[in-house]
Amino acid sequence: MESDGYCKDFYKGEMAERYLLHVPAYPSAVVETIIEYLEEKMPKPHTIAVDVACGTGQGTRMLSGYFDKVLGYDISPDMITIAQRNETLQNIEYSVSAAESLPVEDGTVDVITVASALHMFEFERFCKEVDRILKPGGIFAAYAYCACTNGGRIFQSEVANDLLTEYFEGIFFKNTPPSYKNYGVFKNMVENLVMPYREVKCPDNLISEREYTISGIMDLIRSFAPTKEYLIKHPIEGPKVLQQLKEGITDALKITEADKFHVMIPIPIKMARKPIM
């Protein structure tokens, strides 16, 4: 079974647009870290990077300045349509594909990246694809934003953080859909991930910083599949719970509907290099 079905159907229409608007931005230090490690063994020029589960192209675009060509793949046609619609860079191509069967020639890729998506893959099959398409000496890098897996500690208010933690632990993690094939990776994002090659020590202080309104934060929470699962299972109770969460965070941060506030979300990263024969 490939990483399709639920994933393809979930991120479409309104959910794909919500993802585009509210997903946290990844810092440039993520790609700088990957390139620095790549160039220890593989000097320029770098020909091809592949961003798997690219979504609307946020992480894909960060690779553009370092490679002749960047290929972004996602199982959701709507995500790919949005990425293509918003793309202005000439060396990026987007296509619909499952992570476990990428339309890429053997041994042609310098770097493979995955951002916040490994929990939806058939990981062993995906690792075989990684090994198939990577050049010897190429890099596989996985990173994620941890709004939900950092215990909800993203606000400058411990009361607001406690409310978010209560939601994640009490509801969110109890409603993960069947497509989240690797729950352990999901709950701890990349921290518990066992890489297919020997890992390298990575920085542990990468942070995504962004200004949100309270409606933006709630739309981010609604863009997560477990929230949708919860709302489907509990069509009356669910909206009330989310409204209570919104009101609680609003009160804790002492903000209005229109106010913007600062959010800091950790970005863990893991990298590994395919052995050079």
Side-chain angles (χ1 to χ4, degrees):
M1 181 177 179
E2 295 179 343
S3 56
D4 54 4
Y6 184 95
C7 306
K8 178 168 58 178
D9 293 336
F10 178 73
Y11 284 112
K12 67 180 182 180
E14 179 186 354
M15 294 305 295
E17 295 287 353
R18 184 177 286 166
Y19 180 93
L20 171 66
L21 291 173
H22 301 293
V23 68
Y26 295 109
S28 59
V30 168
V31 171
E32 291 165 1
T33 298
I34 295 169
I35 298 303
E36 181 179 356
Y37 182 46
L38 174 67
E39 292 184 347
E40 288 180 8
K41 302 287 186 181
M42 295 180 67
K44 298 177 182 177
H46 307 310
T47 53
I48 299 177
V50 171
D51 187 28
V52 186
C54 65
T56 56
Q58 184 187 63
T60 321
R61 294 183 188 96
M62 294 198 305
L63 297 163
S64 173
Y66 299 95
F67 298 89
D68 295 338
K69 181 185 290 187
V70 181
L71 305 174
Y73 296 105
D74 200 281
I75 196 63
S76 166
D78 283 22
M79 288 287 216
I80 291 297
T81 296
I82 292 172
Q84 292 170 334
R85 181 187 74 199
N86 294 321
E87 193 53 72
T88 59
L89 298 168
Q90 297 300 309
N91 66 333
I92 296 182
E93 298 177 8
Y94 296 103
S95 302
V96 175
S97 176
E100 300 86 356
S101 54
L102 299 166
V104 182
E105 293 183 9
D106 295 1
T108 58
V109 175
D110 299 288
V111 166
I112 298 170
T113 59
V114 179
S116 303
L118 282 170
H119 51 285
M120 294 182 281
F121 295 178
E122 292 285 352
F123 190 63
E124 289 188 10
R125 289 186 58 203
F126 172 66
C127 286
K128 291 179 180 178
E129 280 293 88
V130 168
D131 194 60
R132 180 182 69 80
I133 69 174
L134 266 184
K135 297 176 181 177
I139 305 301
F140 169 45
Y143 58 97
Y145 63 87
C146 289
C148 58
T149 57
N150 187 41
R153 321 311 286 184
I154 66 173
F155 301 121
Q156 296 176 356
S157 161
E158 286 308 300
V159 174
N161 285 332
D162 288 344
L163 289 170
L164 196 57
T165 297
E166 182 180 344
Y167 170 73
F168 286 136
E169 295 297 335
I171 293 175
F172 188 86
F173 290 123
K174 295 179 180 178
N175 289 275
T176 53
S179 62
Y180 282 28
K181 300 172 176 64
N182 194 333
Y183 179 76
V185 169
F186 170 62
K187 192 157 192 230
N188 296 283
M189 281 305 179
V190 300
E191 294 172 12
N192 288 349
L193 178 65
V194 178
M195 298 292 273
Y197 312 118
R198 185 174 64 84
E199 295 177 27
V200 63
K201 182 174 176 57
C202 293
D204 59 4
N205 59 349
L206 300 181
I207 298 289
S208 172
E209 301 188 52
R210 178 172 171 174
E211 300 291 310
Y212 278 96
T213 63
I214 186 61
S215 293
I217 281 290
M218 296 311 298
D219 275 343
L220 175 64
I221 292 170
R222 289 188 187 95
S223 75
F224 298 143
T227 299
K228 182 180 179 181
E229 287 287 302
Y230 176 64
L231 291 173
I232 290 172
K233 294 175 184 176
H234 305 279
I236 297 176
E237 174 192 2
K240 293 179 181 178
V241 168
L242 289 182
Q243 182 62 29
Q244 290 170 357
L245 177 62
K246 178 181 179 180
E247 292 173 358
I249 294 173
T250 299
D251 290 344
L253 296 179
K254 297 179 172 58
I255 56 172
T256 68
E257 187 78 23
D259 288 339
K260 291 186 176 181
F261 51 91
H262 196 66
V263 169
M264 299 178 64
I265 302 176
I267 309 290
I269 180 172
K270 280 194 174 184
M271 299 186 297
R273 185 189 302 278
K274 182 176 179 176
I276 299 174
M277 301 301 181

